[in-house]
Amino acid sequence: MNTVSIVEIVIAAILFLIMILSMFNKRVRKLRVAILVILLDICLLTHVGVTYITEEPVLALKGNSVIALEANETYIDPGIQASYHKKDVQKDVKIQGKVNTKKPGEYKITYEYHYQKDKVKQLERIVKVEDHVAPKITLKGQEKLTIYEDEEYKELGYTVEDNVDQDLEQQVKVQKNEVSKNEYELIYTVEDSSGNEAKAVRNVILKKRQTSQNTQTNSDQTKEENGNSTKKPTSNSGIIYLTFDDGPSLDITPKILDILKQENVKATFFLLNYGESKEKLVKRIVEEGHTVAIHGYSHNYKKIYASEQAYMQNLTKLQTKIKNTTGVTTTITRFPGGSSNTISSFNPKIMTKLTKKVVEEGFRYYDWTVDSNDAGGAKTRDEVYNNVTKGLIRNAKNTVLMHDFSGNQKTLDALKAIIQYGKQNGYTFQKITTDTPMVKHKINN
Ligand SMILES: [Zn+2]
């Protein structure tokens, strides 16, 4: 464009001079004016032609040429402005390049406008996906625990969550630091692929063994299932909360209550709606010192997860009924399917809303940490027993999911052995109360 304008100006200047000069010469005036006009015409036509051919399209990025965003944010391209010969040609611009916001890094977006035969005008934008969110280490078992000084600490494990990286568990480093003669701390650290660091600390306190007591506590007649006849007394401050869902039932619940009574263990019953014939059972649960809690008036997922209102009605309807039967107003509840269920995904985000809502309304909800799977894959007494005993974590709070629905003989048959296993391994049994910290699964809907 520039060079053309200069040529033009020069031509125009020459023409101007010729014109001025011709003004002073009358004889040749007419002829010279004619020539002048012709020259002017040629000049103008050349100008138009040349500028048309040499003019380039104008491309300008909307938004910044470098855009930074946090991992997992959505990237929306701000687009581009493009014009050619004063016409908007935005829609003819090809945009190339993809941004994977799940993976931190630099991504290039190119904008190309093809014009004339083989000419291209191009612009670029850089999108930087950054991860500034640190992973989170969650320790399994207690953060502060006591073991005997001659006992070896067995790692209780941990989980790592991160917004970007998947398998960070394998990369956790554990460092042991002596705090004092009878205490050390375990420092767990891990870094995600962007260098964000997470840390967790577990304190291990060593105590002296009191020689007189411990060898006697395990003198029950029942033998451990694993055939380990020489039992080593080990310290274990673990708690087991036995919980029974989907009852009461006339055939199973009374027998469960009998066993709990014999073993002097208190448990928690998450009830469904019950008929008149079962009212006695609900009263018995309370009278024998167990926790009566709400699973829901109905267990029908389609109905109860249809709306927040439907769910809250399902909850309070049974709360009122239990109050009328027993005089107890219970605020302890468990979502049918658990708060982590995906069966409710026909109503997107309902669990996210409900887990907030029930707490706002004064309820406390309890998922589980150990699944007996007695409403799923476990078909025999031994499977129930193994699922529970293998799922227990020492020195931790264990909430065990079981069911007392009608016909669930396998759980009934496994219960006594489960309780004895717990006692022999130093666990204490407790019922859930409103002082018990809530047990929450990860929400999946
Ligand atoms: Zn249930």
Side-chain angles (χ1 to χ4, degrees):
M1 265 283 273
N2 282 346
T3 49
V4 175
S5 324
I6 291 164
V7 171
E8 267 179 335
I9 289 164
V10 171
I11 294 171
I14 293 166
L15 284 171
F16 189 73
L17 265 172
I18 295 169
M19 197 177 75
I20 298 293
L21 289 172
S22 60
M23 296 285 189
F24 300 100
N25 193 332
K26 275 183 187 166
R27 271 179 292 171
V28 285
R29 204 154 155 195
K30 269 188 187 168
L31 180 62
R32 288 196 185 169
V33 169
I35 291 169
L36 178 68
V37 170
I38 290 164
L39 279 173
L40 265 170
D41 271 0
I42 292 169
C43 173
L44 258 163
L45 285 172
T46 326
H47 162 71
V48 171
V50 169
T51 42
Y52 191 85
I53 294 165
T54 53
E55 193 183 318
E56 289 187 18
V58 183
L59 263 60
L61 292 177
K62 289 184 188 168
N64 295 333
S65 58
V66 178
I67 293 179
L69 70 157
E70 195 61 33
N72 295 324
E73 268 180 43
T74 337
Y75 173 70
I76 299 166
D77 193 81
I80 192 161
Q81 275 172 332
S83 64
Y84 187 42
H85 294 141
K86 306 224 161 72
K87 254 174 58 191
D88 187 353
V89 292
Q90 218 182 99
K91 62 178 194 325
D92 301 321
V93 175
K94 268 195 213 158
I95 306 180
Q96 280 171 324
K98 263 197 179 160
V99 179
N100 182 359
T101 59
K102 289 192 176 123
K103 202 170 168 249
E106 271 193 25
Y107 297 88
K108 201 199 293 180
I109 308 279
T110 55
Y111 307 84
E112 276 181 10
Y113 178 65
H114 293 257
Y115 63 105
Q116 289 180 19
K117 248 192 198 155
D118 49 2
K119 289 188 176 168
V120 188
K121 180 92 177 178
Q122 199 182 57
L123 276 185
E124 267 177 24
R125 191 198 305 275
I126 301 293
V127 180
K128 290 181 180 172
V129 176
E130 294 168 352
D131 174 18
H132 297 110
V133 180
K136 187 169 175 260
I137 302 177
T138 308
L139 297 181
K140 289 183 183 168
Q142 287 182 321
E143 288 176 7
K144 194 162 196 165
L145 60 99
T146 308
I147 59 173
Y148 288 109
E149 57 187 0
D150 58 353
E151 197 186 343
E152 206 180 311
Y153 166 75
K154 260 199 215 146
E155 179 52 50
L156 299 171
Y158 39 79
T159 53
V160 183
E161 272 181 85
D162 187 59
N163 60 334
V164 172
D165 298 287
Q166 292 296 324
D167 302 311
L168 289 177
E169 269 92 3
Q170 284 107 328
Q171 292 174 42
V172 173
K173 287 180 193 138
V174 187
Q175 196 199 329
K176 188 173 165 181
N177 263 3
E178 205 118 323
V179 177
S180 68
K181 217 180 78 188
N182 45 21
E183 185 179 351
Y184 60 86
E185 56 183 16
L186 297 166
I187 300 172
Y188 304 76
T189 51
V190 72
E191 228 177 60
D192 70 12
S193 53
S194 301
N196 302 303
E197 212 185 314
K199 186 179 160 185
V201 181
R202 196 194 308 268
N203 288 79
V204 182
I205 296 156
L206 304 168
K207 73 171 177 187
K208 281 206 168 65
R209 200 184 284 284
Q210 289 165 344
T211 40
S212 58
Q213 270 187 345
N214 294 289
T215 36
Q216 284 183 350
T217 43
N218 293 322
S219 58
D220 270 287
Q221 302 111 307
T222 38
K223 272 182 196 142
E224 259 186 82
E225 302 292 302
N226 55 19
N228 213 355
S229 55
T230 47
K231 286 170 217 136
K232 245 195 185 167
T234 49
S235 77
N236 181 5
S237 56
I239 298 170
I240 296 174
Y241 299 97
L242 295 177
T243 70
F244 299 94
D245 286 14
D246 297 2
S249 64
L250 292 172
D251 53 341
I252 300 295
T253 312
K255 292 176 187 158
I256 284 181
L257 287 168
D258 291 344
I259 294 173
L260 295 174
K261 197 184 214 169
Q262 280 168 27
E263 294 292 332
N264 193 25
V265 161
K266 303 297 179 225
T268 305
F269 291 82
F270 290 96
L271 305 188
L272 295 177
N273 181 36
Y274 48 87
E276 219 175 299
S277 61
K278 294 175 181 168
E279 279 178 12
K280 268 192 301 185
L281 269 175
V282 178
K283 282 185 192 152
R284 188 180 158 193
I285 289 171
V286 174
E287 281 161 10
E288 297 188 355
H290 305 291
T291 293
V292 69
I294 310 158
H295 202 30
Y297 196 87
S298 160
H299 205 288
N300 183 323
Y301 298 119
K302 278 272 171 217
K303 273 191 204 160
I304 63 175
Y305 293 132
S307 68
E308 279 184 85
Q309 199 195 14
Y311 189 82
M312 293 313 292
Q313 273 173 7
N314 191 57
L315 189 61
T316 51
K317 196 172 175 185
L318 188 62
Q319 185 188 41
T320 308
K321 182 156 184 177
I322 293 171
K323 161 90 167 115
N324 290 338
T325 309
T326 65
V328 175
T329 304
T330 180
T331 55
I332 293 166
T333 186
R334 172 176 287 158
F335 292 99
S339 70
S340 52
N341 81 76
T342 50
I343 202 158
S344 61
S345 49
F346 62 86
N347 186 354
K349 296 282 166 219
I350 185 73
M351 297 317 298
T352 310
K353 292 178 207 158
L354 285 177
T355 45
K356 250 183 92 181
K357 176 83 173 169
V358 296
V359 175
E360 279 166 11
E361 298 289 324
F363 291 91
R364 296 174 65 76
Y365 75 87
Y366 296 84
D367 288 313
W368 54 90
T369 64
V370 181
D371 188 356
S372 71
N373 214 4
D374 65 345
K379 299 286 179 229
T380 65
R381 174 245 177 237
D382 286 354
E383 284 171 328
V384 172
Y385 176 86
N386 287 332
N387 287 341
V388 175
T389 53
K390 293 201 172 122
L392 294 171
I393 295 178
R394 299 175 66 81
N395 301 309
K397 292 189 165 98
N398 298 276
T399 306
V400 178
L401 170 65
M402 295 190 282
H403 293 81
D404 60 333
F405 50 64
S406 180
N408 196 11
Q409 190 68 33
K410 57 187 181 300
T411 294
L412 181 63
D413 292 344
L415 182 60
K416 195 164 187 163
I418 288 170
I419 293 173
Q420 286 168 352
Y421 173 92
K423 287 179 176 174
Q424 281 157 12
N425 286 276
Y427 291 95
T428 50
F429 287 86
Q430 290 182 18
K431 60 180 178 180
I432 292 172
T433 71
T434 48
D435 292 331
T436 310
M438 283 194 270
V439 180
K440 296 176 173 182
H441 285 170
K442 186 170 166 271
I443 312 291
N444 295 314
N445 174 29

